[in-house]
Amino acid sequence: MKAVVWHGRRDVRVETVPDPVIQEPNDIVIRLTSSGLCGSDLHLYEVLGPFMSEGDILGHEPMGVVEEVGADIAHLKQGDRVVIPFNIACGHCLMCAQGLMTQCETTQVRSAGKGAALFGYTKLYGQVPGAQAEFLRVPQAQFGPIKVPEGPADDRFVYLSDVLPTAWQAVEYAAVPANGTLAVLGLGPIGDMAARVAMHRGLRVIGVDLVPERLERARANGVEVIDLTQVDDVADAIRDLTGGRGADSVVDAVGMEAHGSPVGKLAQTIVGFLPDVAAQKLIEKTGVDRLAALHLAIDAVRRGGTISLSGVYGGTADPLPMMVLFDKQIQLRMGQANVKRWVPAILPLLTGDGDPLGVDTFATHRVPLDAAPMAYEKFQAKKDGTVKVLFKP
């Protein structure tokens, strides 16, 4: 089969690799019909390369059709249409029972001290072959796959794999009071969708970005936007819009790709040139993140407010302004999305009348798998209005 394969920093290629096969009785194999390119894939493209191996298959946003089922799978059959969550969870351990599928005790990558295994995401998360491919082996299929109806195009459902539950959890964790204001930092795929979810709930949303196409896209959906290149102080601009207090809650949908920290940028650059073992130690033991977005969130949220982190951070020793966090009595929630926890609330919005979250037109680019190298390059450089790419294997 064809697959998108990692070969090094800013070097992904489409190659022919062996087809996946059933390995355990609770596996299935699916033929992929859509697979997303995620902002966190860019971390592998750039910063987290030391935890990759040449030949790793990328991608963790799959949708497709069941081709084969293992002996223990009775609820799925060949031909069923399914979306696969990016995190691999068993559904029956203590963590899964609490709705914390990202901490699944069955698939935890204990050797790396990490939570549940993920598709296509480094040695830290199990080095499971990813979903930017023609076929995908799905472990723990007794729980993970989300069966969806025939009829609508893939765009209606594919975001259940990551974007929708990640954005939904970001807004849930933000705990915005009724009729309150949510500031969303970063209007890439997750920030854009978080803004849509918040507006669907009747909240006021202020979105911050610096890419003109992303600002216009959010503005067209009713978001009040701030272009960070046009204001001297973004937090002051948010306070000006909120009676001087700041936003009730802030979603940081940027993470370690944030602009504005020369020290963090230098650390990330150094990581790119070190041997893998040394680079791994630097990432694991040091602060390599560019924390501009998080510092902005702390500044822009009102006293007693909540910050919800959905952007990925990678450093261990990143400095935080603990005095400010404590003094402002800020609540901080974070983590990868517990996909299956949120599906029951989201699915009715996708199967009912209308398209309240705009998923049918959410993708900006739909390209064949062979176009993956160019898609990664454009997405990383924020060129050509690239917000959300769907591969069509």
Side-chain angles (χ1 to χ4, degrees), residues 83-201:
V83 177
I84 309 299
F86 73 92
N87 38 33
I88 302 169
C90 71
H92 56 73
C93 69
L94 177 65
M95 292 292 104
C96 287
Q98 295 185 45
L100 295 171
M101 292 79 182
T102 59
Q103 311 305 322
C104 174
E105 293 181 328
T106 301
T107 72
Q108 270 180 26
V109 187
R110 291 178 173 84
S111 60
K114 295 295 183 283
L118 310 178
F119 289 103
Y121 216 78
T122 78
K123 300 170 188 175
L124 296 175
Y125 290 98
Q127 210 162 22
V128 182
Q132 291 167 8
E134 293 181 310
F135 295 92
L136 177 71
R137 170 183 166 253
V138 181
Q140 302 294 329
Q142 80 284 347
F143 176 69
I146 303 161
K147 190 174 178 180
V148 296
E150 298 292 338
D154 281 9
D155 290 47
R156 177 57 62 108
F157 301 112
V158 66
Y159 306 115
L160 282 171
S161 61
D162 183 351
V163 175
L164 272 169
T166 297
W168 195 275
Q169 179 172 293
V171 176
E172 284 282 337
Y173 281 9
V176 190
N179 302 313
T181 298
L182 175 67
V184 178
L185 309 182
L187 295 171
I190 301 303
D192 185 331
M193 186 60 75
R196 297 175 188 222
V197 169
M199 294 189 69
H200 174 70
R201 297 184 179 192

Side-chain angles (χ1 to χ4, degrees), residues 111-377:
S111 60
K114 295 295 183 283
L118 310 178
F119 289 103
Y121 216 78
T122 78
K123 300 170 188 175
L124 296 175
Y125 290 98
Q127 210 162 22
V128 182
Q132 291 167 8
E134 293 181 310
F135 295 92
L136 177 71
R137 170 183 166 253
V138 181
Q140 302 294 329
Q142 80 284 347
F143 176 69
I146 303 161
K147 190 174 178 180
V148 296
E150 298 292 338
D154 281 9
D155 290 47
R156 177 57 62 108
F157 301 112
V158 66
Y159 306 115
L160 282 171
S161 61
D162 183 351
V163 175
L164 272 169
T166 297
W168 195 275
Q169 179 172 293
V171 176
E172 284 282 337
Y173 281 9
V176 190
N179 302 313
T181 298
L182 175 67
V184 178
L185 309 182
L187 295 171
I190 301 303
D192 185 331
M193 186 60 75
R196 297 175 188 222
V197 169
M199 294 189 69
H200 174 70
R201 297 184 179 192
L203 302 173
R204 180 191 183 194
V205 181
I206 300 169
V208 180
D209 208 298
L210 49 67
V211 181
E213 295 90 346
R214 296 183 179 191
L215 290 163
E216 183 51 42
R217 178 175 158 107
R219 184 185 289 111
N221 288 325
V223 175
E224 299 173 55
V225 300
I226 295 174
D227 182 343
L228 62 81
T229 69
Q230 300 299 311
V231 296
D232 293 329
D233 188 312
V234 176
D236 278 348
I238 291 173
R239 281 187 283 270
D240 287 345
L241 294 172
T242 54
R245 290 192 181 91
D248 295 298
S249 304
V250 177
V251 166
D252 172 1
V254 179
M256 63 181 173
E257 295 300 316
H259 295 268
S261 170
V263 174
K265 183 176 182 180
L266 176 61
Q268 291 183 3
T269 301
I270 290 171
V271 162
F273 290 102
L274 287 174
D276 283 354
V277 173
Q280 288 175 16
K281 289 180 179 178
L282 180 64
I283 292 172
E284 289 174 335
K285 304 296 183 184
T286 337
V288 300
D289 295 318
R290 302 160 73 180
L291 295 173
L294 180 53
H295 283 282
L296 172 56
I298 293 167
D299 192 5
V301 73
R302 67 162 169 80
R303 292 179 176 273
T306 301
I307 296 172
S308 172
L309 298 184
S310 60
V312 175
Y313 287 96
T316 301
D318 293 313
L320 288 176
M322 294 304 299
M323 181 184 291
V324 178
L325 286 165
F326 184 84
D327 178 66
K328 291 184 72 173
Q329 201 166 326
I330 292 170
Q331 300 178 74
L332 186 61
R333 298 195 70 184
M334 67 190 79
Q336 294 168 349
N338 302 295
V339 173
K340 294 285 296 255
R341 178 176 180 176
W342 310 114
V343 167
I346 300 170
L347 197 53
L349 300 178
L350 308 179
T351 55
D353 295 334
D355 181 17
L357 300 179
V359 294
D360 290 342
T361 56
F362 189 71
T364 55
H365 295 71
R366 299 170 183 82
V367 301
L369 207 58
D370 287 337
M374 182 63 71
Y376 268 84
E377 181 181 338

